[in-house]
Amino acid sequence: MAKLISKTYGEALYELAIEENKVDSFAEEVQTLQAVLEENRELDSLMNHPKIIKEDKLQVMKNIFAGRIDSQLLGFLSLIVTKDRYHEVLRILQYFLDRVKELKGIGVAHVTTAEALKEEQKRQVVAKLLETTKYQQMEMHYAVDTALIGGMVIRIGDRVVDSSIRTKLEELQRKLMKIQLMQ
């Protein structure tokens, strides 16, 4: 359900940005807005508190953001509050930013390896991803998970390429278990 909400509202914001020819300015403001909302957990508690009425929540949003963000973006935030969807605001904003990246040909890759990659290895991974995907640019996020033993796991959106030794060992174990059961 949460994914549907973020997609519906995020897509609406994306379409508004396209319609108004404000993709870049909205993306910049949404990134700033996202950072502000993530840093201020008290605001999150206030906006999600069930005993505070919507009108007060809307006034708080207006007091904080009026004149600081585009009026259409403020209107969009007001709509989210009015429809009791504020608890999804960060996912909605992230969905919007992901759509903008898609539009601009920027892929977001999450690469997990058993040990930290050297700069040359990182360049090779980026080059291979650019060569094998539709993207012209990559935004890379690296993580280390020693449980992988070796190899790497690359996730771009919903697609995952897992060439880790851990996964290969698990597959081998499953195959061996099937052989034992058949005999």
Side-chain angles (χ1 to χ4, degrees):
M1 178 78 168
K3 206 168 191 177
L4 180 63
I5 291 168
S6 61
K7 181 179 180 186
T8 302
Y9 284 85
E11 192 65 34
L13 181 58
Y14 176 75
E15 288 175 14
L16 176 65
I18 295 284
E19 248 178 59
E20 298 292 324
N21 200 23
K22 293 183 176 182
V23 173
D24 292 331
S25 65
F26 272 24
E28 197 174 304
E29 288 187 15
V30 164
Q31 285 176 326
T32 304
L33 180 61
Q34 197 176 37
V36 167
L37 295 176
E38 286 173 350
E39 289 171 13
N40 295 295
R41 287 291 160 203
E42 299 83 19
L43 177 61
D44 190 55
S45 296
L46 176 88
M47 297 304 290
N48 286 312
H49 199 285
K51 292 190 177 180
I52 298 175
I53 61 172
K54 285 181 194 175
E55 290 74 20
D56 291 343
K57 292 177 183 180
L58 290 168
Q59 191 59 49
V60 167
M61 293 301 274
K62 187 176 176 184
N63 291 344
I64 295 172
F65 296 113
R68 293 189 174 101
I69 62 173
D70 188 285
S71 61
Q72 289 175 310
L73 201 49
L74 181 58
F76 182 76
L77 284 176
S78 298
L79 176 69
I80 290 171
V81 171
T82 302
K83 297 287 185 180
D84 289 323
R85 301 293 189 216
Y86 186 83
H87 62 282
E88 292 293 323
V89 71
L90 290 175
R91 283 190 211 59
I92 292 167
L93 297 177
Q94 188 57 54
Y95 180 90
F96 168 77
L97 291 173
D98 291 345
R99 286 287 281 135
V100 170
K101 287 175 187 172
E102 279 289 322
L103 176 71
K104 295 180 176 285
I106 302 169
V108 178
H110 297 268
V111 178
T112 306
T113 54
E115 58 184 47
L117 295 176
K118 296 179 177 92
E119 287 305 313
E120 180 56 30
Q121 292 171 314
K122 289 179 179 180
R123 279 193 287 280
Q124 290 173 350
V125 170
V126 170
K128 190 67 172 174
L129 289 175
L130 289 173
E131 179 184 311
T132 57
T133 64
K134 63 183 179 194
Y135 301 110
Q136 292 88 41
Q137 189 179 342
M138 295 302 298
E139 179 183 304
M140 303 298 291
H141 300 274
Y142 296 98
V144 174
D145 180 359
T146 55
L148 294 180
I149 305 169
M152 69 178 59
V153 177
I154 301 173
R155 183 175 59 82
I156 301 175
D158 292 339
R159 293 185 356 196
V160 176
V161 176
D162 188 341
S163 65
S164 68
I165 292 178
R166 177 183 64 189
T167 299
K168 289 179 182 177
L169 288 172
E170 288 170 355
E171 288 172 6
L172 183 59
Q173 182 182 16
R174 280 192 293 274
K175 287 178 184 176
L176 288 173
M177 293 295 278
K178 283 183 184 177
I179 292 172
Q180 289 177 352
L181 291 175
M182 294 175 141
Q183 291 180 349

